[in-house]
Amino acid sequence: MMDQLGPLLLGVLQAGQAEVTLAEGDIARAFGWVEAYDPQPIAGLQMFFIPQIAFIKVLLAQNTSSSLGRAAALLTQYLELARKNHFKSALLYALPLQALLNARQGQEAAAMASLEEAVRLGEVESLVRVFVDVGPGMADLLVRLSRRGVAVEYIAQILAAYQTPPARDATGGSVEPLTGRELEILALVAQGLSNKEIAARLVLSTGTVKNY
């Protein structure tokens, strides 16, 4: 049945399966799709799911120098096309990934610039999943951006919805999800509260808040 589909639709379906696998925390299995998939040049941006975005997400999740380099090349091509054609929705999918890539490459200023652009775009329609679906690494970046005074209330809204399943790293080790208490503290940090104020709000010691 699958081999009777056109190559574009087949790629979309396979990429969707890879996204589900990645969301379930099975990075090794998702990377198996990456190894078998040949990402064709992005000739245009369709108004539906694009396989290259899933491809980039898996590469970022693997988090090796080789996978990050491959992700960087695809993101550069994708963002150039999105800007050229003024596709805001396409930018919204790619910019958070660019921010995560920048952060993993130690480029803090570039990461914050990419994420701020994405947040400004998403804030218009109060979009949340586009950030949450990037994975656990996005929460920390959002907190750091909020501390700069950018879209504080909107970022708090995103963090409040940040429920992530247990994930595995590239070696198969378990990555624990954020707990409800950790999410609560992150949301308060995003609102600009100090450790002392958070401790008072949640009836915790300042030391306990620092440990989070």
Side-chain angles (χ1 to χ4, degrees), residues 182-194:
E182 287 169 335
L183 288 167
E184 192 173 9
I185 289 174
L186 281 174
L188 292 175
V189 168
Q191 294 175 33
L193 273 67
S194 67

Side-chain angles (χ1 to χ4, degrees), residues 137-200:
M138 184 53 52
D140 180 59
L141 291 179
L142 287 165
V143 168
R144 278 145 59 186
L145 183 64
S146 178
R147 284 174 172 166
R148 297 179 176 218
V150 176
V152 174
E153 292 184 4
Y154 174 49
I155 289 177
Q157 177 187 350
I158 298 172
L159 291 172
Y162 212 94
Q163 302 291 335
T164 57
R168 299 182 183 91
D169 61 24
T171 64
S174 177
V175 178
E176 292 299 320
L178 295 174
T179 66
R181 178 64 82 183
E182 287 169 335
L183 288 167
E184 192 173 9
I185 289 174
L186 281 174
L188 292 175
V189 168
Q191 294 175 33
L193 273 67
S194 67
N195 287 340
K196 185 176 181 180
E197 291 170 329
I198 293 172

Side-chain angles (χ1 to χ4, degrees), residues 62-188:
Q62 193 192 28
N63 197 25
T64 66
S65 58
S66 175
S67 69
L68 294 182
R70 294 169 72 185
L74 272 175
L75 274 169
T76 296
Q77 182 188 11
Y78 187 96
L79 284 167
E80 285 178 354
L81 188 61
R83 294 188 191 285
K84 178 181 178 180
N85 291 281
H86 306 289
F87 288 150
K88 292 183 179 180
S89 60
L91 282 173
L92 259 172
Y93 279 104
L95 284 168
L97 299 178
Q98 182 66 56
L100 189 59
L101 172 65
N102 291 145
R104 290 186 175 169
Q105 293 177 326
Q107 302 169 359
E108 176 72 10
M112 291 295 99
S114 294
L115 186 55
E116 179 172 354
E117 184 178 359
V119 165
R120 296 299 188 193
L121 288 171
E123 187 177 19
V124 175
E125 297 183 26
S126 298
L127 301 178
V128 171
R129 297 305 313 179
V130 69
F131 297 99
V132 174
D133 288 346
V134 172
M138 184 53 52
D140 180 59
L141 291 179
L142 287 165
V143 168
R144 278 145 59 186
L145 183 64
S146 178
R147 284 174 172 166
R148 297 179 176 218
V150 176
V152 174
E153 292 184 4
Y154 174 49
I155 289 177
Q157 177 187 350
I158 298 172
L159 291 172
Y162 212 94
Q163 302 291 335
T164 57
R168 299 182 183 91
D169 61 24
T171 64
S174 177
V175 178
E176 292 299 320
L178 295 174
T179 66
R181 178 64 82 183
E182 287 169 335
L183 288 167
E184 192 173 9
I185 289 174
L186 281 174
L188 292 175

